[in-house]
Each structure stands twice: as structure tokens, then as C-alpha cells.
Amino acid sequence: MKNTQNTGEVNETPSSSDNIKLQFEDIVKSFREDGNDTRVLDGIDLHVREGEFVSILGPSGSGKSTLFLLLGGLYRPDHGRIMLDGRDIAGKRGLVSYMPQDSAMFPWRTVEQNAALPLQLDGVPARTALSMARSALQKAGLEGYERSLPHQLSGGMQQRAAFVRALLGRRDVMCLDEPFAALDALTRQEMQHWLLNQWEQERRTVLFVTHSIEEALYLSDRLYVLSAKPTQVLQEIAVPFPRPRDRRLLLEPQFAALRGQLYELLLSAKEEEGARHD
Ligand SMILES: Nc1ncnc2c1ncn2[C@@H]1O[C@H](COP(=O)(O)OP(=O)(O)OP(=O)(O)O)[C@@H](O)[C@H]1O
Ligand SMILES: [Mg+2]
């Protein structure tokens, strides 16, 4: 994989030796709207290596959540393959962990019961699952809240609990769909920092969707920028900043340069969409 200068832009396809965990190959997906087929995804190629943190940035409606629903097996692609560990998993469910935008906790289950759920679904006995959930919640700074109900936690704490639940799902790949979008700015920063620390310890393979350029640059190893629909990958960018990272990174000129480059790219995608509708 070649890194073209300091812009971080990459322009070579992965070779088989690149330790690819997950790969979308030429994915096409249309939906029927008002009697017409609207093509949303128009040949998406993207990949995530083992232990890599990859973000997807793209205009609203470009099909980011659709990509996750395809990956989760809830939709089937019209064309193309979704490869996990070299196997086509299109249409298969339960192979990846998923954390949606809202924390989606069951309100009648305690925080630890919620977190233990994926373990129990995997057949781990309830007592063991609960004790694993408890210790993971404590590590995530939620000690004392294990037996609370979700509504008794702040938005940020609920997101943490949801993240712990996704981690406990023990799937190799975690998909996070705008997990911090509903949070206020300060809590969002705290959660980014917390997620970064957790991830730097765990090194799980992560596919992350966000609307925030800063968030994508701060957290990711690599990112993909999508066009408006019919959606294609506009650019793949390797994020060149070393880890561990902290927020001082945001003050560095190279960070600002990449942020500017991405902003221009997303703006042009939106303008193109606007022009198509005129
Ligand atoms: N089940 C469906 N039936 C019809 N159209 C759908 C369906 N699911 C998604 N779409 C359409 O596909 C497009 C992409 O939707 P999707 O939710 O994937 O976008 P997104 O990139 O996640 O947007 P956002 O950033 O706003 O979350 C939208 O135009 C949406 O209307
Ligand atoms: Mg979405």
C-alpha cells in the first residue's frame, strides 16, 4: 500500500497479503421508491484490515447505514460480495457487532443485563455473562451503575454501556453507526477520547460512520469519503498521525490541512448532488 505524500491519499488496491478482515467488493444496491428503482450504492469497494479503525464519511442519504445493514445481513446486495475472513457473508446475520446511533438498550433490563445479552445469546450461562458484563462495565467507568436502568444514566454513560455491550459481543468486527451523534459537544469529546483509549487497548477491527470530519481524523487509521447517491467512493485517505493520540493533535497544521481537504471534498459531493436535483 503506497502513501502518496503527506496528504494521506492512497491510490492502490490492497494485495492479498494485506491482512484484509472485511471487504466490500463492487456493491450495488437499489431501492424501489414511488414505483422507480433508485440506485443508492453504485459499485462500492472498500476494505478494513485486521485491527484497523476505518471511518466512512459521506453526505446524508449516501447509503452509509445501508452498508451496515448489508453487512449485518438485513439487506442483500443486488450485485457484489461482502467478504469477512475471505468468505462471502452477504445475507448472513450475527457475524459482526453493531452499535446504532441511539444506544438501543432494553429499558426494562438493568445496565449489566443489557451488556450481558450478547454473551447470553452466544450461549454463555447467565451468571458468567453477568459477571463478565459487570467487570467490563467497571473498566468502562460505570462502576456503581451496573444495576441501574438505562434511563437512570446520562446520554454519554448509556453510549459507554452500549459500547461495552458491542465489545462483549465478541465478534471480530465492530460497526459503529454515528454512535456519538446525539451527544452534546463536550460529552462527545469525552466519548471520543474514551473510545480511542479503549480501542488502543483492544485493537478490534472497527468500521465507523460519522458526519464529523474531525472525529474521523482523530479516531481512524484510514477513511473513505463517499459521493452523494448513486454513491461511489470518492477518495480513500490514510490518516498519518501516530498513536496514542490526544486532542492536541487537532491543533497541528497537518491535521488542519487534512480537515480542509476533506471539507472541500464533502462540499463538492453535496454541490454535485444539488446540481443533479436542479
Ligand atoms: N428500505 C428502504 N427502502 C427504500 N429506500 C431506502 C431504504 N433504506 C434506505 N433507503 C434509501 O437509501 C438512501 C440511503 O439511506 P441511508 O440511511 O443508508 O443513508 P445514510 O448515508 O446512512 O444517511 P444519514 O447520514 O442521514 O444517516 C436514502 O435515500 C434512503 O431513502
Ligand atoms: Mg445513516
Side-chain angles (χ1 to χ4, degrees), residues 83-251:
M83 308 296 284
L84 181 69
D85 292 322
R87 208 159 53 94
D88 190 354
I89 58 153
K92 296 205 168 68
R93 297 194 187 185
L95 298 174
V96 295
S97 295
Y98 177 63
M99 180 176 163
Q101 179 171 337
D102 57 38
S103 65
M105 307 277 260
F106 292 110
W108 59 87
R109 291 178 76 109
T110 64
V111 170
E112 65 183 18
Q113 287 169 339
N114 267 289
L117 197 58
L119 290 168
Q120 288 179 262
L121 292 174
D122 276 350
V124 176
R127 274 171 68 109
T128 317
L130 277 172
S131 124
M132 288 169 74
R134 219 169 288 140
S135 88
L137 288 164
Q138 285 163 6
K139 270 196 241 151
L142 291 170
E143 186 156 15
Y145 292 93
E146 300 90 335
R147 305 226 163 129
S148 305
L149 290 170
H151 78 267
Q152 295 172 304
L153 271 60
S154 71
M157 289 159 98
Q158 287 188 32
Q159 287 300 99
R160 269 193 233 189
F163 185 71
V164 166
R165 182 177 58 182
L167 273 179
L168 287 171
R170 297 194 296 190
R171 302 292 178 269
D172 297 344
V173 177
M174 291 182 66
C175 299
L176 312 179
D177 194 354
E178 300 194 58
F180 308 142
L183 303 178
D184 66 82
L186 216 61
T187 313
R188 184 170 186 151
Q189 283 187 17
E190 280 170 22
M191 283 303 297
Q192 289 168 354
H193 183 69
W194 179 83
L195 173 62
L196 202 59
N197 279 333
Q198 294 280 312
W199 180 80
E200 279 168 357
Q201 287 165 34
E202 290 261 347
R203 291 280 167 163
R204 290 278 268 275
T205 307
V206 173
L207 192 55
F208 188 87
V209 165
T210 176
H211 277 278
S212 162
I213 293 172
E214 269 185 12
E215 187 168 272
L217 280 175
Y218 181 46
L219 297 175
S220 318
D221 295 313
R222 226 155 32 83
L223 50 93
Y224 289 92
V225 182
L226 303 183
S227 70
K229 68 183 176 194
T231 302
Q232 297 183 329
V233 172
L234 281 181
Q235 206 163 94
E236 177 193 347
I237 293 187
V239 181
F241 311 119
R243 297 181 187 275
R245 297 177 186 167
D246 64 48
R247 292 199 80 76
R248 277 171 295 190
L249 174 62
L250 274 66
L251 303 172

Side-chain angles (χ1 to χ4, degrees), residues 32-95:
R32 203 153 181 85
E33 275 176 323
D34 309 326
N36 296 312
D37 276 341
T38 306
R39 186 173 279 209
V40 174
L41 300 173
D42 190 25
I44 297 290
D45 284 300
L46 62 85
H47 64 275
V48 189
R49 294 191 186 83
E50 178 103 49
E52 198 181 22
F53 196 120
V54 172
S55 289
I56 300 177
L57 275 167
S60 199
S62 57
K64 303 179 296 297
S65 297
T66 301
L67 277 172
F68 278 176
L69 294 171
L70 286 163
L71 179 56
L74 292 136
Y75 295 159
R76 273 183 165 276
D78 303 335
H79 176 84
R81 298 194 302 174
I82 302 172
M83 308 296 284
L84 181 69
D85 292 322
R87 208 159 53 94
D88 190 354
I89 58 153
K92 296 205 168 68
R93 297 194 187 185
L95 298 174

